[in-house]
Amino acid sequence: MPLNTTNRRGVLKAAVGVAGAAAAVSVAGVLPAAAHGRPHRRRLPSIPGMVGDRWANEFWYEYDERFYYNPTPELVEAVDVITAPFGDFTQTDAAWAATRAGGRYPRSFIELIKPNKDAFELLSRAQRDVYDEFYGGDPKGLLFAFQEFGQGVLFDPRRPAGNKVHMMNYTPPAFTHAYHRWHPFLAGFQLLNVDKHWWAHINRLAGTAWELQSIGQPVNDANDNKRLPRRTVDGVTRKWLRRDTRQIDKAFDSYPYPADIGRF
């Protein structure tokens, strides 16, 4: 199967930035330690028609380039290997849910994915490269990029119709199903001890984006999706950043939206 399908984009695009830093919340004590201040960033050319933070747009654009539009053969193979035990990529969320329902999680899920740890490690290294390139030493900037992604306020005219907003793709009526296909990858990294703490943090950011998108219901290709109230963004973010792995797994048992959506 080719990598650039609608369903695969959900996991690789996001396995998975009001303008400037104004949307980032005060998260002392819940973000990983990093250098203070904003790292130096190269100047990016202006893109006519682009809406939203320029750097966050570029981050998600480059993520798409490497994991959707132009993945290496090695990455295509890694995803094929990882998803083979699930049945196929479209069964990823169902396979994870089945291990949860069986009462032996996480052991049952580890047994399913452990033979393919090498593929998880390859995918982890490739994705970490993008995160580090754009947001290394800048955890607040990375948080901001996920908040903007969840709200669907990053409009990028460079992309084709149907993908012009950097947000989690979906196939109606399953508005957020791709987040549930992303979560097993993030959980898998952690359970296999592949950059465990890093991916635990990304899992919290993904959950934040999932809930923000569930609340805001942004529209693909719309260049005027509205940001949610600051209080909502802050509250959702704080809730997810304070969750441990068990709580995140439990949250993703709910489908298609968080059971406690909008409550914080």
Side-chain angles (χ1 to χ4, degrees):
M1 293 175 62
L3 184 64
N4 51 333
T5 66
T6 298
N7 287 325
R8 288 200 176 183
R9 180 172 180 264
V11 115
L12 290 178
K13 176 181 177 180
V16 227
V18 196
V25 302
S26 175
V27 289
V30 291
L31 282 176
H36 295 290
R38 179 171 173 167
H40 175 73
R41 293 175 176 171
R42 66 183 184 274
R43 186 176 181 84
L44 297 173
S46 176
I47 305 294
M50 179 175 284
V51 177
D53 183 80
R54 182 67 183 86
W55 194 256
N57 261 299
E58 196 68 20
F59 166 66
W60 291 114
Y61 178 89
E62 186 62 26
Y63 214 119
D64 273 351
E65 282 296 299
R66 300 186 198 185
F67 303 109
Y68 175 42
Y69 291 103
N70 296 296
T72 66
E74 291 78 11
L75 286 171
V76 174
E77 182 180 4
V79 174
D80 280 338
V81 168
I82 290 171
T83 59
F86 305 150
D88 61 34
F89 182 83
T90 63
Q91 298 301 310
T92 300
D93 49 341
W96 180 81
T99 65
R100 295 280 293 169
R104 295 179 61 246
Y105 186 90
R107 183 184 303 175
S108 54
F109 191 62
I110 294 174
E111 291 170 351
L112 193 63
I113 65 176
K114 189 174 182 180
N116 298 318
K117 183 177 180 180
D118 287 351
F120 276 91
E121 290 176 335
L122 188 154
L123 184 59
S124 174
R125 288 193 299 270
Q127 294 196 346
R128 278 296 308 263
D129 283 348
V130 185
Y131 287 113
D132 292 343
E133 178 181 339
F134 281 86
Y135 291 108
D138 185 15
K140 287 187 177 181
L142 182 60
L143 168 63
F144 178 61
F146 271 81
Q147 290 171 330
E148 299 288 87
F149 179 82
Q151 293 175 89
V153 294
L154 299 171
F155 179 85
D156 195 333
R158 294 174 292 182
R159 287 304 183 210
N163 289 333
K164 289 186 179 296
V165 174
H166 293 300
M167 56 182 281
M168 187 61 80
N169 67 298
Y170 61 93
T171 303
F175 190 70
T176 64
H177 73 284
Y179 282 104
H180 286 77
R181 292 179 183 162
W182 191 9
H183 176 68
F185 280 72
L186 300 176
F189 290 135
Q190 297 170 72
L191 292 171
L192 295 177
N193 201 28
V194 177
D195 269 346
K196 178 178 180 178
H197 297 296
W198 167 260
W199 291 113
H201 181 59
I202 297 300
N203 214 357
R204 296 182 184 99
L205 299 186
T208 300
W210 170 40
E211 185 162 347
L212 293 176
Q213 184 167 330
S214 298
I215 295 169
Q217 303 278 307
V219 178
N220 275 327
D221 285 359
N223 65 0
D224 58 352
N225 287 322
K226 305 302 181 185
R227 287 183 177 82
L228 295 169
R230 175 66 179 270
R231 178 180 178 276
T232 299
V233 176
D234 287 6
V236 168
T237 301
R238 288 180 182 279
K239 177 173 66 177
W240 279 92
L241 290 183
R242 292 193 169 111
R243 282 179 164 162
D244 60 24
T245 298
R246 181 190 59 81
Q247 292 169 326
I248 293 173
D249 282 339
K250 182 174 177 58
F252 274 97
D253 286 336
S254 177
Y255 183 91
Y257 307 120
D260 62 346
I261 184 171
R263 300 200 301 271
F264 40 83

